[in-house]
Amino acid sequence: MYTGIMKSTIKVVAISVLGLGLLTTSSQAKDYPTKPVNLVVGFGIGGSADRMARSMSTFLSDELGGIVKVINKKGAGTQIAANYILKRPADGYTVFSSTFSPYLATTILTGGAKYKMTDFDFINIQWFDYELFAVNKNSKYNSMVEVLNAIKNHPKSVKAAVVQGSGGHLILKLLLEKYNIPQENLNLVTYNSGGKARTAIAGGQVDLIAISAQGSENIKEFIKPLAILKNDRVQQWDAPPLNEAIKSLGFKVPVFSGSMRGFAVRKEFKEKYPKRYEKLLGAIKRTLASKDVQKFLKSNQIGYVWTGPEESNKLIDESYQFFKKYGYLLND
């Protein structure tokens, strides 16, 4: 009899705990958000990641039923923002909204960051970009072959601009290595933001730029595109894929994913607050499914793809593995 009473007591307690858990998680969703949700951008105001976050914030406010704000924590190639995120509670009120690939990887591989990629849960990558190679519109160079031969045969004659640790930075160095050009032959200038690098090529302060293509639409009239890092041509740029552009040189370079922008949270958030996690996820998904939102983002040249957590984490890891393989080039 005693055993029976104990079993019944344990069952009641278990049901009570389960019920309490359900009430708690239900309450989590109902009460979230009760204060502003901060979207943290790892770059300054006006860049691609900032434009994406600010464009999404109003729509997310409507879907979440609360205030969504954007704050900028620029510097050290997103390392400052990443550390800020990891020091904040994993409660859904601090959301990383930035360009994750390749910058987050390079902060770990070459920037001395103490965190791991797996400390974050990439809940959606909504904007995929690719690298563009271009010269000033008045440049004497008309092809990638001409530019690479100039770097090879006339050291320091070509001045190039890249964003530190970017895909453009890596692929430009890989091009030199594959073509047996000493890295020091290129007069390379690194910037902390795409805006400054684009201003440099538009104003003719540098000869060549390797940078995200979709953020370069606003300087289109000032530049001459030479190649894109894609397998196929695209409508936006009158330029061949890079491997097609350098085919006569007898080597190829790997085509990898360019900048990936979207939203991430601390890894612990899903486990600690599952209902809040689902509410945030649903809000982003519904926002991107709206035709009006899609139209707005498209008109502002901002990506609007729903990729989902599983695929987003997979793509980010693939990009990390690629940069892990070639990251040594960024240490020079």
Side-chain angles (χ1 to χ4, degrees):
M1 183 176 178
Y2 175 76
T3 304
I5 292 173
M6 283 300 293
K7 286 182 177 176
S8 297
T9 303
I10 292 170
K11 188 176 179 181
V12 168
V13 170
I15 291 172
S16 298
V17 170
L18 179 61
L20 183 62
L22 290 173
L23 285 172
T24 302
T25 53
S26 176
S27 175
Q28 287 173 8
K30 187 179 179 182
D31 296 340
Y32 171 75
T34 56
K35 58 183 181 180
V37 173
N38 288 323
L39 303 182
V40 181
V41 179
F43 297 91
I45 296 172
S48 299
D50 182 69
R51 290 195 299 116
M52 179 193 71
R54 290 182 188 279
S55 298
M56 290 288 287
S57 62
T58 303
F59 302 118
L60 279 176
S61 291
D62 294 340
E63 289 294 341
L64 279 174
I67 298 172
V68 177
K69 296 165 57 181
V70 176
I71 60 175
N72 298 79
K73 296 287 180 183
K74 67 177 182 179
T78 71
Q79 190 172 166
I80 290 174
N83 283 326
Y84 176 80
I85 296 283
L86 294 174
K87 287 178 181 174
R88 303 293 298 170
D91 57 5
Y93 287 99
T94 308
V95 178
F96 207 174
S97 174
S98 196
T99 305
F100 301 124
S101 178
Y103 300 103
L104 211 49
T106 54
T107 62
I108 297 171
L109 296 168
T110 66
K114 303 301 181 188
Y115 48 76
K116 304 183 294 295
M117 296 296 282
T118 51
D119 288 334
F120 302 94
D121 180 12
F122 300 92
I123 56 181
N124 190 55
I125 302 299
Q126 76 171 63
W127 189 1
F128 297 85
D129 210 335
Y130 53 91
E131 304 303 323
L132 166 74
F133 296 82
V135 292
N136 184 274
K137 67 175 184 179
N138 298 318
S139 172
K140 62 182 178 182
Y141 303 117
N142 293 299
S143 71
M144 282 302 295
V145 171
E146 290 179 8
V147 173
L148 289 172
N149 280 332
I151 299 171
K152 189 169 193 172
N153 301 319
H154 305 284
K156 301 294 185 185
S157 65
V158 176
K159 191 174 184 180
V162 297
V163 177
Q164 176 70 40
S166 66
H169 188 181
L170 181 66
I171 197 66
L172 193 51
K173 294 208 132 201
L174 190 56
L175 275 170
L176 302 186
E177 182 180 78
K178 292 277 187 182
Y179 197 30
N180 297 317
I181 301 174
Q183 296 289 337
E184 58 269 23
N185 273 25
L186 178 63
N187 188 355
L188 186 64
V189 184
T190 59
Y191 292 87
N192 288 321
S193 76
K196 290 182 179 178
R198 292 184 180 98
T199 299
I201 190 69
Q205 283 84 43
V206 297
D207 303 293
L208 173 71
I209 192 170
I211 201 164
S212 295
Q214 293 184 25
S216 304
E217 299 276 352
N218 59 347
I219 59 165
K220 214 166 187 175
E221 63 182 299
F222 303 107
I223 60 175
K224 190 191 311 181
L226 300 183
I228 53 172
L229 191 61
K230 296 276 285 183
N231 287 316
D232 301 300
R233 288 177 180 260
V234 297
Q235 197 173 23
Q236 294 91 332
W237 295 99
D238 182 20
L242 181 58
N243 281 325
E244 180 182 324
I246 61 172
K247 188 176 180 179
S248 63
L249 300 180
F251 69 91
K252 286 186 176 181
V253 291
V255 177
F256 58 91
S257 299
S259 296
M260 291 189 225
R261 307 180 183 99
F263 296 88
V265 290
R266 281 184 56 181
K267 193 72 173 180
E268 300 90 340
F269 176 45
K270 184 177 182 180
E271 184 178 344
K272 292 178 70 174
Y273 297 95
K275 293 296 182 182
R276 291 185 185 180
Y277 179 89
E278 290 301 327
K279 189 170 183 179
L280 177 63
L281 203 69
I284 295 173
K285 187 174 183 178
R286 287 192 302 277
T287 296
L288 293 174
S290 165
K291 296 296 181 188
D292 288 338
V293 174
Q294 291 178 7
K295 186 177 179 182
F296 174 81
L297 294 175
K298 186 177 182 180
S299 67
N300 285 279
Q301 297 161 354
I302 296 171
Y304 50 87
V305 177
W306 171 253
T307 309
E310 184 177 351
E311 185 66 13
S312 295
N313 280 287
K314 175 174 172 285
L315 291 169
I316 289 289
D317 182 62
E318 287 175 355
S319 176
Y320 175 76
Q321 296 305 326
F322 179 85
F323 275 78
K324 190 176 180 182
K325 181 176 181 180
Y326 294 105
Y328 65 92
L329 289 165
L330 299 177
N331 287 322
D332 292 341

